[in-house]
Amino acid sequence: MAGPQVLKHRRTTLERAEKFLSEHHFRDCNLRGRLFGASCPLVSLSCFSTPRRIPYDEAVRQEFRPVKVGESFGPTWWTCWFKAELSIPRGWAGKEVHLLWESDGEGMVWRDAQPVQGLTKEGEKTSYVLTEDLKEAEPHSLTVYVEVACNGLFGAGKDSLIGPPDPDKKFTLNKAELVVFHRDVHELLVDFEILVDMAKFLKEDNQRSLQALYMANQMVNLLDVMDASTFPAARQLASSLFGQRNGDSQHTIHAMGHCHIDSAWLWPYEESIRKCARSWVTVVRLMEKNPEFTFVCSQAQQFEWVRTRYPGLYAQIQDFVKEGRFIPVGGTWVEMDGNLPSGESMVRQFLQGQRFFLQQFGSLCSEFWLPDTFGYSAQLPQLMRGCGIRRFLTQKLSWSLVNTFPHSSFFWEGLDGSRVLVHFPPGDSYGLEGRVEEMLKTMSNNRDKGRVNHSTALFGFGDGGGGPTQKMLDRLRRMRDTDGLPRVQMSTPDRFFSVLEREETQLCTWVGELFLELHNGTYTTQAQIKKENRECERLLHDVEVLSSFALTQKSTFQYPSLKLQHLWRLLLLNQFHDVLPGSCIQLVVEDARRYYAEIRREASVLQKDAVQALFGKLLPTGPETAKSLLVLNTLPWERTEVISRTGEDTLALLKVPSMGYAAMEESLTPSCPVTVTKQADGSVSMENGAIAAHLDSLGRVMSLRLVHTGRESVQEGHGANQFVMFDDIPLYWDAWDVMDYHLETRKPITTLLKPLEVVLAGGLRGSVKFSLQISERSVITQEVILDAMCPYLRFVTEVDWAEAHKFLKVEFPLRVRSMNATYEIQFGHLQRPTHWNTSWDWARFEVWSHKWMDLSEHGFGVALLNDCKYGASVHRDVMSLSLLRAPKSPDATADIGRHQFSYAMMPHQGSFQEAGVIQWAYNFNFPLHTVPAGSAPGLAWSAFSVDSPAIVLETVKQAEDRLDSLVVRLYESHGSTVVAWLQTSLPIKDAIECDLLEQPEPSSRLLLTEHGLKFSFTPFQVRSVLLILRQ
Ligand SMILES: [Zn+2]
């Protein structure tokens, strides 16, 4: 019989229910205190520690010493292996028995030599379920091993998440025992939690909020926590409320398990491998118990790690992939940075990724998946479409500091007009926990719910791994269809996007880049990583071009496809979204640089092999036989450039055909030599017939004119090549963020250390050198070079850098007025405003660019070329290139040391397209190769040339699956519609257009004529062709 109804006091009623579930209050008499029953200690526990990450087989052979619960181990990055002998009491028959393991660090339970369960306190996984219902016949005694990594889910930062790791952290084992787990109490706790959250997060006057509150109160009344026989009635009450259904119009949330694992970030690559295993083995356990559970998983590299290191686990994963529940997504090798990798690198992310997914799982991914990357290039839609992908998921734009992105579901139209369907999970996270509040936010935050009434919700601990938990699944199950809450279904990306596609006519379109208005420091931080990325992109390009030449010229040459795949995969791995952006710890920087060194070493061997195959006997056996110089050009246009001869100090002006080579016995004579004149005031004038520069004694370019027209580039009364320093103290994300307010702290660098002096007096090359004192700790030394027949002034720069929270840039105040500046991106370029009219304009105070940027008015402009920089800005008529930062977290040593980089200033007549800025920027980044050779008069050869300056032949490589074929990739670089001919001297039998995955397009055989191959291009179109070689 019911007691009297008391007052309707919301706060006391709510808190009463909350206390009933509390971890911290009234555990002696509340429901939470009843979660576990009897416990029993382990029979024995022993351990051994190692600084290495070793395999299980090696670990179990080590000497284990006895250890007690409460002891500490470590230090940071070590691994402690525990051996636990257990004996389950006979009296626990019929009970659910857990091994309860609470320790710092990240654990993996091994049983019978197989990984069986990941354990992490931060990821709310502290139980390994030994049995759900103990049977008499089951073994009661067993031995398990627990491998504990001495780092947390988020590494081992000192004082804060992103603080540099503390190398001396100690890790404590707080609990290791057998316990009886009360599943019925757990279920009741989840019921209560959902009811309390409905009461709390639905509005106070919402009927369902009040009903949930009343129901929770009734259940507390009904329950005697010491008497399990009172539980079913309370559960019945809860399910009666959960069973009240929604109307047809209710919002539908597609929930998918997820576990974002940064391939390296606050921990090194090697730890990520174990993070994958710990997280995914847990997913497999959950799948065994929850038939509806789906899990979405990206990054081919991580699958490859688990395939090679954990084959048993991988086989289980493959089974669930077949069932369509463990769902590979993304199609890329890693979740790469979305801004800085070159166009070809982005293609290779998909090529390596999609081919892996196809080989391993029998199908290509149909969604691109990049939830946590710092902006998205306008070229991505075309690259996705070329790789079999029409759908894209991210949520990172929710981090933008200034503007709120207006859509949740929309079409994204790229540079060339390609469109993909995009969804931003409106919960603004890829690591939800399946809570009522999150589901309500997902619904309310969906900006397109009037058009398409569906959202996704990705649940599971992420960034450092961890993934979903049983509790998350139990929560979501209760929200399947409960009146007042959005409908939450376990779903898949395909199911969700298919719904979206059915309603796609309702959706808006966003054109151009998806710019993240935050983390703009990542274009500059860790300059050495950026430099090596650019360098390795060039090396692999050149090795592929030269190996392709060798393949077609020498029948015995073996194209090094496997080695190249390995090197590409290393480069792609380093393009991960916390490595190339520079937002990682020092250990990761060391890992990355080791991989770059391997790429450089191996690529130079491969390059030598190709050159050897091409020239064989022509190559001298000793210096005395070198009579001429072989010059190799890996770019698709003829070049005439001054080079310094290898091993000698002499210069030569050489001309070499497009994508080919020539032998030179002596230097050409320039039409106009370089002159260098030192003035009485210490300033210097340099001229080469095309441009004339005047530098003051501080190395500032006070004038840069086009000789023929006399047009001046530099703003009157100002100097270009002006170094400037800024204070660079962001709000929190040190390595990531440069804030707009840094611009208010500008200080020009004007302290001369060594005044301007002439190094090379002219002829083929003139140059001057000077040094500036940046601070007591840092110095810039620069050589400013002008070559004969060259349209730009080159700045070869060396900086000794030992700053803290400073930002070094170089500025170019120009005599050019334009509302927009142009920046090179992957396979193209785009424009961004030079003014700060709207919040969308000024939020882009620091942007990214690849090899060049340009500020032009009609008929004239100035381009800035660079060989390894990405951060840039143009505000009004001042162009600036971002050079070096000095953040202290998460790597306290970031960027400290010596840096070398080059940039160039190129004034031009006409548009940048007409002036060949694109080609000169390529030349600046892809120096000619020279090889001393025996006499070879008249030797000259060109493999490819293109008759339109708008078309860049970017890539030449062997086809992935066809040893008898090359793939060439071309793109339209001017933003124009053109017809072009590709000429080749190679023995081509057939030419078939293919997609970026090198799959032939049906009915797309190209007509091969004596003029070559004819192509028509639309603006920024990327086209790939299979060239089948005559044997
Ligand atoms: Zn991430």
Side-chain angles (χ1 to χ4, degrees):
M1 178 124 149
Q5 302 290 325
V6 299
L7 280 172
K8 297 170 183 143
H9 193 289
R10 182 178 166 86
R11 188 185 136 199
T12 58
T13 316
L14 190 60
E15 272 194 43
R16 181 191 186 203
E18 283 177 331
K19 292 283 155 48
F20 199 61
L21 315 179
S22 175
E23 290 268 12
H24 308 291
H25 306 281
F26 303 107
R27 280 197 62 152
D28 60 324
C29 56
N30 76 4
L31 187 62
R32 176 82 54 188
R34 293 286 299 144
L35 187 58
F36 296 106
S39 70
C40 127
L42 306 180
V43 175
S44 77
L45 186 65
S46 53
C47 80
F48 93 95
S49 296
T50 163
R52 295 187 304 124
R53 297 176 178 89
I54 57 175
Y56 172 86
D57 296 338
E58 188 183 336
V60 294
R61 290 199 308 269
Q62 308 300 315
E63 192 100 347
F64 284 71
R65 64 169 177 83
V67 62
K68 286 197 187 67
V69 171
E71 279 188 31
S72 292
F73 49 96
T76 314
W77 307 129
W78 280 49
T79 299
C80 194
W81 284 84
F82 291 90
K83 182 179 182 181
E85 317 238 10
L86 341 162
S87 177
I88 307 172
R90 294 271 151 200
W92 288 4
K95 308 277 189 209
E96 178 167 341
V97 182
H98 292 190
L99 166 63
L100 199 61
W101 186 277
E102 282 183 32
S103 80
D104 303 322
E106 288 187 272
M108 170 73 99
V109 182
W110 293 79
R111 182 173 178 177
D112 303 326
Q114 287 301 319
V116 291
Q117 175 69 52
L119 295 174
T120 137
K121 247 185 347 193
E122 297 147 289
E124 296 184 1
K125 294 179 194 74
T126 51
S127 266
Y128 168 51
V129 182
L130 290 163
T131 172
E132 282 174 40
D133 178 6
L134 184 66
K135 301 275 188 318
E136 195 58 33
E138 266 181 81
H140 282 52
S141 295
L142 65 150
T143 303
V144 298
Y145 290 86
V146 186
E147 173 194 14
V148 181
C150 295
N151 55 260
L153 269 187
F154 298 101
K158 198 171 186 170
D159 306 329
S160 80
L161 172 76
I162 61 166
D166 176 355
D168 302 316
K169 270 204 173 157
K170 283 287 176 194
F171 296 75
T172 307
L173 174 60
N174 293 308
K175 207 173 257 183
E177 61 191 25
L178 301 186
V179 290
V180 170
F181 181 78
H182 292 146
R183 182 64 56 184
D184 50 357
V185 173
H186 166 84
E187 296 293 353
L188 266 173
L189 284 169
V190 180
D191 287 347
F192 266 109
E193 190 200 293
I194 300 291
L195 292 171
V196 166
D197 284 354
M198 283 177 73
K200 250 160 87 174
F201 297 112
L202 288 168
K203 289 205 173 71
E204 224 169 282
D205 57 357
N206 182 304
Q207 170 178 298
R208 295 294 283 169
S209 164
L210 292 164
Q211 286 175 345
L213 183 60
Y214 181 69
M215 190 65 76
N217 194 56
Q218 293 278 81
M219 286 165 62
V220 182
N221 287 339
L222 210 72
L223 279 165
D224 175 351
V225 298
M226 301 307 287
D227 179 2
S229 71
T230 63
F231 296 179
R235 290 226 60 203
Q236 193 64 46
L237 271 185
S239 58
S240 70
L241 186 131
F242 299 140
Q244 290 168 337
R245 302 286 176 235
N246 278 298
D248 292 344
S249 66
Q250 186 55 280
H251 196 80
T252 300
I253 293 178
H254 296 247
M256 304 169 210
H258 190 46
C259 176
H260 184 70
I261 302 178
D262 288 319
S263 291
W265 178 31
L266 302 172
W267 53 86
Y269 284 124
E270 280 291 315
E271 195 54 47
S272 300
I273 300 175
R274 299 200 295 189
K275 281 175 178 289
C276 294
R278 287 190 288 261
S279 305
W280 297 357
V281 77
T282 305
V283 169
V284 166
R285 288 293 87 78
L286 289 172
M287 286 199 168
E288 289 164 351
K289 287 185 191 160
N290 301 272
E292 81 284 14
F293 174 40
T294 56
F295 179 77
V296 184
C297 191
S298 67
Q299 312 201 56
Q301 169 72 84
Q302 297 188 356
F303 282 95
E304 175 64 4
W305 280 336
V306 170
R307 188 181 76 83
T308 50
R309 304 279 186 100
Y310 299 87
L313 169 60
Y314 191 72
Q316 293 175 309
I317 290 171
Q318 278 179 311
D319 289 341
F320 283 116
V321 172
K322 275 194 209 106
E323 281 183 30
R325 296 174 56 202
F326 201 112
I327 304 161
V329 285
T332 50
W333 187 247
V334 296
E335 285 187 14
M336 74 283 196
D337 180 74
N339 300 327
L340 310 187
S342 70
E344 190 59 29
S345 287
M346 284 191 167
V347 170
R348 301 306 173 96
Q349 286 286 355
F350 286 105
L351 183 75
Q352 290 297 328
Q354 287 286 48
R355 286 174 59 81
F356 179 89
F357 290 118
L358 186 64
Q359 281 161 7
Q360 293 294 314
F361 307 117
S363 58
L364 298 172
C365 299
S366 44
E367 292 83 22
F368 181 38
W369 195 268
L370 213 49
D372 183 32
T373 302
F374 314 148
Y376 306 88
S377 163
Q379 191 54 272
L380 275 165
Q382 182 177 198
L383 302 186
M384 284 182 231
R385 292 296 298 263
C387 297
I389 291 177
R390 293 163 167 270
R391 302 154 164 182
F392 174 43
L393 182 141
T394 181
Q395 63 79 47
K396 198 69 182 187
L397 256 53
S398 68
W399 283 47
S400 277
L401 202 62
V402 183
N403 297 288
T404 305
F405 196 79
H407 314 299
S408 299
S409 298
F410 61 101
F411 278 102
W412 181 22
E413 185 176 306
L415 203 58
D416 70 314
S418 298
R419 281 153 65 91
V420 292
L421 190 56
V422 186
H423 179 67
F424 293 173
D428 291 347
S429 168
Y430 44 78
L432 301 179
E433 296 178 18
R435 293 177 186 279
V436 167
E437 190 185 7
E438 296 165 345
M439 298 305 128
L440 292 173
K441 178 181 176 185
T442 294
M443 174 169 64
S444 68
N445 209 26
N446 186 317
R447 287 163 204 286
D448 297 286
K449 56 182 174 287
R451 298 160 188 261
V452 184
N453 213 0
H454 293 256
S455 298
T456 60
L458 307 177
F459 64 96
F461 290 103
D463 292 326
T469 64
Q470 183 62 50
K471 198 194 275 178
M472 295 177 192
L473 288 162
D474 293 336
R475 286 177 185 136
L476 293 174
R477 204 169 284 152
R478 284 160 176 77
M479 290 186 265
R480 238 179 292 189
D481 189 2
T482 290
D483 182 21
L485 296 179
R487 264 192 205 94
V488 185
Q489 309 173 339
M490 206 59 71
S491 186
T492 68
D494 184 56
R495 237 178 282 157
F496 169 74
F497 277 105
S498 298
V499 171
L500 219 54
E501 280 158 1
R502 283 202 287 279
E503 311 282 342
E504 65 181 35
T505 53
Q506 315 278 328
L507 298 176
C508 297
T509 298
W510 180 270
V511 181
E513 65 183 328
L514 295 173
F515 187 86
L516 177 63
E517 296 167 354
L518 197 75
H519 293 358
N520 328 41
T522 61
Y523 319 144
T524 305
T525 305
Q526 299 284 11
Q528 196 60 31
I529 285 188
K530 271 118 180 138
K531 181 177 174 172
E532 296 194 74
N533 176 67
R534 183 82 64 87
E535 194 178 340
C536 290
E537 286 177 337
R538 169 177 64 78
L539 279 169
L540 295 184
H541 169 272
D542 284 2
V543 168
E544 288 185 338
V545 169
L546 297 175
S547 301
S548 299
F549 291 176
L551 180 73
T552 59
Q553 300 303 295
K554 185 101 178 199
S555 57
T556 54
F557 181 78
Q558 292 265 322
Y559 189 92
S561 48
L562 273 178
K563 281 185 183 150
L564 275 166
Q565 171 172 291
H566 171 68
L567 299 182
W568 265 112
R569 286 180 171 184
L570 289 181
L571 180 62
L572 299 177
L573 175 56
N574 276 350
Q575 289 173 348
F576 178 76
H577 65 255
D578 284 307
V579 182
L580 182 54
S583 47
C584 52
I585 59 170
Q586 190 185 356
L587 275 180
V588 177
V589 176
E590 288 165 9
D591 280 353
R593 295 199 58 187
R594 226 176 5 256
Y595 291 161
Y596 288 130
E598 183 178 340
I599 297 169
R600 275 201 310 273
R601 197 171 55 240
E602 296 295 317
S604 79
V605 172
L606 296 180
Q607 198 170 293
K608 279 205 187 88
D609 291 349
V611 168
Q612 181 68 41
L614 280 171
F615 303 113
K617 290 197 186 99
L618 255 185
L619 300 178
T621 44
E624 68 287 348
T625 57
K627 294 198 171 60
S628 65
L629 198 61
L630 289 166
V631 191
L632 292 92
N633 175 16
T634 58
L635 296 179
W637 42 77
E638 184 184 274
R639 293 162 71 178
T640 303
E641 287 175 29
V642 175
I643 56 114
S644 29
R645 287 170 184 260
T646 328
E648 291 176 50
D649 229 8
T650 58
L651 299 170
L653 179 67
L654 304 173
K655 184 170 169 178
V656 55
S658 154
M659 276 219 176
Y661 51 78
M664 311 287 296
E665 308 244 315
E666 57 200 57
S667 172
L668 304 172
T669 310
S671 50
C672 181
V674 179
T675 59
V676 180
T677 318
K678 185 147 188 180
Q679 314 288 349
D681 61 357
S683 67
V684 171
S685 301
M686 295 200 275
E687 196 180 321
N688 70 355
I691 57 173
H694 184 78
L695 284 82
D696 75 0
S697 59
L698 283 163
R700 290 180 301 204
V701 181
M702 305 311 289
S703 164
L704 183 63
R705 286 180 298 112
L706 289 175
V707 171
H708 289 297
T709 60
R711 176 66 161 88
E712 175 59 54
S713 313
V714 182
Q715 221 179 84
E716 195 164 7
H718 290 81
N721 194 40
Q722 170 71 61
F723 291 98
V724 282
M725 278 279 263
F726 299 87
D727 294 344
D728 186 12
I729 307 165
L731 297 177
Y732 177 72
W733 296 99
D734 200 359
W736 290 257
D737 288 348
V738 55
M739 310 302 296
D740 56 354
Y741 53 73
H742 86 284
L743 293 167
E744 297 174 353
T745 65
R746 177 181 178 278
K747 289 178 195 68
I749 295 170
T750 52
T751 310
L752 196 57
L753 195 63
K754 283 188 198 148
L756 201 65
E757 60 176 71
V758 176
V759 180
L760 293 171
L764 286 178
R765 175 172 291 171
S767 80
V768 294
K769 204 168 183 172
F770 65 95
S771 297
L772 298 173
Q773 189 88 48
I774 301 174
S775 71
E776 283 154 29
R777 299 167 299 279
S778 305
V779 171
I780 299 170
T781 302
Q782 196 170 59
E783 188 175 1
V784 186
I785 297 171
L786 184 61
D787 279 352
M789 320 252 321
C790 181
Y792 55 71
L793 195 60
R794 185 153 57 106
F795 304 85
V796 179
T797 317
E798 216 171 270
V799 182
D800 278 312
W801 182 247
E803 299 298 318
H805 293 119
K806 297 285 177 189
F807 198 165
L808 178 69
K809 302 186 193 180
V810 61
E811 290 179 349
F812 300 82
L814 302 176
R815 210 173 288 193
V816 179
R817 181 171 171 79
S818 174
M819 297 287 274
N820 290 291
T822 310
Y823 301 83
E824 191 196 30
I825 68 162
Q826 296 80 359
F827 298 134
H829 56 82
L830 49 69
Q831 296 198 316
R832 301 186 182 110
T834 55
H835 55 75
W836 294 342
N837 282 358
T838 69
S839 61
W840 293 86
D841 300 330
W842 68 256
R844 288 186 279 177
F845 59 87
E846 174 80 8
V847 298
W848 59 272
S849 179
H850 283 189
K851 300 185 288 294
W852 59 269
M853 58 206 260
D854 183 84
L855 186 67
S856 285
E857 54 189 43
H858 179 68
F860 178 80
V862 178
L864 202 56
L865 322 181
N866 76 80
D867 71 349
C868 62
K869 295 297 170 194
Y870 296 91
S873 68
V874 183
H875 186 221
R876 304 191 64 92
D877 49 11
V878 179
M879 271 180 146
S880 63
L881 191 63
S882 301
L883 302 177
L884 293 169
R885 295 185 70 219
K888 300 299 166 193
S889 288
D891 174 6
T893 67
D895 282 322
I896 300 305
R898 174 164 291 199
H899 298 268
Q900 288 176 312
F901 49 85
S902 295
Y903 51 85
M905 189 180 173
M906 175 174 165
H908 58 82
Q909 202 167 0
S911 68
F912 68 85
Q913 291 98 331
E914 290 157 353
V917 164
I918 297 166
Q919 283 77 7
W920 282 106
Y922 267 97
N923 295 351
F924 194 70
N925 278 271
F926 291 77
L928 295 168
H929 298 272
T930 58
V931 184
S935 182
L939 177 71
W941 180 77
S942 166
F944 292 102
S945 59
V946 190
D947 72 342
S948 164
I951 305 305
V952 177
L953 168 56
E954 170 79 26
T955 304
V956 181
K957 67 183 281 286
Q958 189 184 50
E960 294 289 321
D961 294 319
R962 310 183 56 149
L963 303 183
D964 66 339
S965 303
L966 296 179
V967 166
V968 294
R969 190 161 7 265
L970 307 98
Y971 72 95
E972 198 291 319
S973 68
H974 285 179
S976 62
T977 299
V978 287
V979 172
W981 288 87
L982 173 69
Q983 286 108 15
T984 179
S985 63
L986 301 185
I988 305 298
K989 191 165 68 179
D990 212 350
I992 305 165
E993 182 136 25
C994 62
D995 66 8
L996 297 174
L997 302 178
E998 306 185 5
Q999 303 177 109
E1001 308 271 6
S1003 71
S1004 55
R1005 177 159 283 120
L1006 293 164
L1007 193 62
L1008 200 57
T1009 73
E1010 59 189 285
H1011 304 295
L1013 289 166
K1014 190 177 169 187
F1015 291 89
S1016 49
F1017 285 85
T1018 53
F1020 304 113
Q1021 193 180 14
V1022 181
R1023 299 184 71 169
S1024 307
V1025 184
L1026 278 166
L1027 299 178
I1028 295 136
L1029 300 168
R1030 253 183 272 123
Q1031 290 302 310

